[in-house]
Amino acid sequence: MRQPLSTPSQLRESALRTLQIEQAAIGGLQAKLDEGFDHACQLILACQGRVVVTGMGKSGHIAGKLAATLASTGTPAFFVHPGEASHGDLGMITRADVVLALSNSGETAEVTALLPLLKRLGTPLVSMTGRPGSTLARHADAHLDSGVEREACPLDLAPTSSTTAALALGDALAVALLEARGFTAEDFALSHPGGSLGKRLLLRVRDLMHDGARLPQVALGSPLRDALLEITRQGLGFTCVVDSEGRLAGVYTDGDLRRTLDQFHDLRDVCVDDVMTRPGKRIGPDVLAAEAVRIMEDSRITALAVVDEQQRPIGALHMHDLLASGVI
């Protein structure tokens, strides 16, 4: 019976040894990349259906993660449990798909049982195993070698280095496909609409702006009193000032009011034209909300007028709207 570890230094030494072994396992994959990797990528890129990823036990957990990574980076994919596949779930797989099967030994019974069925369907098979001469590897259209010299487990039994290597090789496959497809950050955001990246890359100014009756505006020549009432009524900290043709001539803000109070002792006869900011910061409705954040931060303002191509105000955007939406 092995003596249990008892001191903190022994525990750290064990952890360090594990990390070194797994690091070496990942490093060893570089020499194993060959034309099989290229062929696997070509099969998947030519796939008209989806990549069906399968694996049993610990390899199944890695397969599930790889399916999720592929799906979120431009390669439609899903996981099928090999045991369930033999009991009806094989109906999820079509000849338009590509099957990616993971098995460290390449002899996992639940996975190899699918081989004759896949051959009958004519579905291309990519295998990822630690044994290029295994049953699964020999019957695959393309093979990815994820073999490692030893497991990090001191008994050389528990899948550790082998699953780490399979995970890294799967990531390498996903990234190669991502780059081959010209996948962009905006494409990524489309599959992550609930995340912060999705909000930054999908939300546009028109999605957040106040428009219609909520748009604060007064005409050129209006008394300052009217501008102040409009700011108070809409509660956005500013108002647009428009000319006779409805184009934005400038803006009047809470900050402008402080400067006005320093300049004039009596505001009753002050016209908004004399104290407004010209021409006023503005933005188009189809600009990304993230760009609006940058403009506000650079200009040290909290609101923007939203204008159309003729420079007519059609909305107003406040920093609070960006905060509430999760863009920042």
Side-chain angles (χ1 to χ4, degrees), residues 28-81:
L29 293 176
Q30 298 178 51
K32 299 177 186 294
L33 287 178
D34 56 17
E35 62 276 4
F37 185 89
D38 300 333
H39 188 36
C41 290
Q42 290 163 358
L43 285 173
I44 294 173
L45 289 169
C47 176
Q48 298 298 307
R50 289 173 168 76
V51 177
V52 183
V53 193
T54 190
M56 193 72 186
K58 304 299 187 295
S59 292
H61 294 303
I62 300 301
K65 187 272 180 188
L66 179 51
T69 298
L70 288 168
S72 68
T73 53
T75 299
F78 63 94
F79 173 78
V80 168
H81 192 286

Side-chain angles (χ1 to χ4, degrees), residues 85 88-94:
D89 283 3
L90 194 67
M92 297 179 180
I93 305 173
T94 73

